Amino acid sequence: GPTSCEFTSELHDFLTADVARWYPDLARDVRVTLVEAGPSLLGPFDASVREYAHRLFTNRAVDVRTGVAVKAVRPAEGPELPGARMPS
């Protein structure tokens, strides 16, 4: 929803502006993934807004996954998504 999109955007900005400057070695190992259970980001909004948000995140190298839900989060392994486990 809107909150996850806003948080993802702020997290991306923090990582690229601040963390990259203070901890460049760490910043290279961090990636951001936005998981949305619905078929698209910002479902209740107009299609042009949904497409814009998806394009914005893709251009910022945010891994956007729609139509899936997080099944579990394990500290040593990262989130478990249907059909795949993401490394932590």
Side-chain angles (χ1 to χ4, degrees), residues 4-23:
S4 63
C5 287
E6 181 177 1
F7 176 77
T8 300
S9 184
E10 292 295 328
L11 178 61
H12 174 272
D13 291 349
F14 172 69
L15 291 170
T16 57
D18 299 321
V19 173
R21 184 174 355 131
W22 299 328
Y23 307 100

Side-chain angles (χ1 to χ4, degrees), residues 18-65:
D18 299 321
V19 173
R21 184 174 355 131
W22 299 328
Y23 307 100
D25 294 336
L26 176 65
R28 287 191 288 266
D29 295 329
V30 177
R31 67 181 183 170
V32 177
T33 301
L34 175 56
V35 179
E36 170 58 50
S40 65
L41 298 177
L42 303 172
F45 291 83
D46 185 73
S48 63
V49 174
R50 294 192 307 262
E51 292 164 7
Y52 171 80
H54 194 278
R55 206 171 37 253
L56 178 70
F57 286 127
T58 301
N59 291 341
R60 291 181 172 186
V62 172
D63 180 15
V64 177
R65 300 185 185 203

